[in-house]
Amino acid sequence: MKLRSPLSQARGLGSAKDGVGHWWLQRLTALALIPLSLWFVFSVARYRVADYATLVAWMHNPYAAIALALWLIALFWHSALGVQVVIEDYVANEALRFGGVILEKFAHFALGVGSVFAVLKLAFGVA
Amino acid sequence: MATEPKAAARPLSPFMLGQYYRFQLTSVLSFLHRLTGLALALGSVFLAAWLLSAAAGPQAYARFETCARGPLGLVLLLGWSWALMYHLCNGIRHLVWDAGWAFELKNVYRGGWIVVGVSLLLTAAVWTVAAL
């Protein structure tokens, strides 16, 4: 016996009214994060970016600045999606669950925008 | 009237772990994927702090560096680098499953051991490159 209406099947949005949007974006950002994360970690290790002058010089390279901004966007997006699932899985109280998801989304977007702004400021800075 | 039924002393999650529940590579790697994901989310706060302190200028960066270069900072950085490599490798394992491949039990275990080995190798490689 089929309990789904033809309309709901055609829409393909499921009970959460979200369809596969969350699932797909989690995979899409994961795919982007594979090369970008490896590039970031090995670049920082190779060029000793921890030093202030080196970091500033590194960010003056437009390719590095663009790649770092792309990595940060993918990272905070992927993290916002992932932490949401963890909260939805383990927080039974509805008010806490909603509050938690709202809070983690705001935190991820604030940190993401802050980090990308920092990259742009370093990239366009005169020093 | 029948006597009140006594509540059976059943093992509750997560206290059954290790006592009644036998760990397997598959479940441990699954826990680790979530745990490293959460750890990396917390680590991204430090990542943002690192970049923002650099954007704020050399004085602010020097203050951040003093904290980061301490023993606790180094331990956290070592943990972060392995967590990233593990989550990345196991993430690829998940993407392979999403494509519908390697679902046979033998391959699930084989992939699991590959993830453990490669994540450790990559972490060692990063710190070797940094030390050179």
Side-chain angles (χ1 to χ4, degrees):
Chain A
M1 189 175 70
K2 260 191 354 197
L3 291 171
R4 294 184 65 187
S5 72
L7 178 63
S8 99
Q9 234 173 344
R11 281 184 178 147
L13 295 181
S15 60
K17 313 280 179 257
D18 192 36
V20 292
H22 186 286
W23 185 91
W24 170 245
L25 277 170
Q26 186 89 72
R27 269 72 188 168
L28 194 69
T29 48
L31 205 58
L33 282 169
I34 296 169
L36 289 170
S37 301
L38 290 172
W39 164 81
F40 171 78
V41 172
F42 278 98
S43 298
V44 169
R46 174 76 185 78
Y47 302 116
R48 294 167 189 275
V49 170
D51 171 61
Y52 181 75
T54 319
L55 175 60
V56 171
W58 190 46
M59 282 299 98
H60 276 155
N61 176 344
Y63 297 109
I66 290 168
L68 186 54
L70 285 174
W71 182 60
L72 290 166
I73 292 167
L75 184 151
F76 281 104
W77 201 340
H78 186 83
S79 183
L81 293 168
V83 174
Q84 179 193 348
V85 173
V86 174
I87 291 172
E88 285 170 348
D89 279 356
Y90 300 125
V91 182
N93 181 292
E94 198 175 17
L96 279 178
R97 189 168 65 239
F98 265 106
V101 169
I102 290 168
L103 206 68
E104 69 88 8
K105 293 284 180 190
F106 282 178
H108 275 101
F109 276 84
L111 288 172
V113 169
S115 308
V116 172
F117 168 80
V119 168
L120 294 178
K121 192 175 176 220
L122 289 168
F124 295 133
V126 201
Chain B
M1 190 126 182
T3 47
E4 195 80 358
K6 256 194 280 180
R10 296 193 184 94
L12 290 172
S13 178
F15 306 106
M16 79 298 177
L17 294 179
Q19 299 183 45
Y20 306 96
Y21 181 85
R22 185 173 55 84
F23 284 104
Q24 319 104 55
L25 178 74
T26 42
S27 61
V28 170
L29 294 190
S30 181
F31 297 148
L32 277 178
H33 196 69
R34 274 231 159 151
L35 285 174
T36 50
L38 274 182
L40 289 167
L42 291 175
S44 68
V45 177
F46 292 95
L47 177 70
W50 174 59
L51 289 167
L52 283 165
S53 72
Q59 285 90 25
Y61 193 78
R63 273 199 299 277
F64 181 87
E65 229 184 347
T66 324
C67 303
R69 283 198 188 276
L72 182 65
L74 273 178
V75 169
L76 285 177
L77 199 59
L78 185 67
W80 182 85
S81 61
W82 176 76
L84 181 72
M85 291 311 179
Y86 174 78
H87 199 83
L88 190 148
C89 292
N90 203 50
I92 293 174
R93 186 161 162 249
H94 270 283
L95 288 175
V96 169
W97 285 333
D98 288 337
W101 297 322
F103 273 118
E104 307 78 15
L105 199 56
K106 196 183 85 181
N107 286 332
V108 168
Y109 272 87
R110 183 183 287 168
W113 284 117
I114 292 173
V115 163
V116 171
V118 174
S119 68
L120 290 173
L121 275 177
L122 279 172
T123 312
V126 167
W127 287 87
T128 309
V129 167
L132 286 176

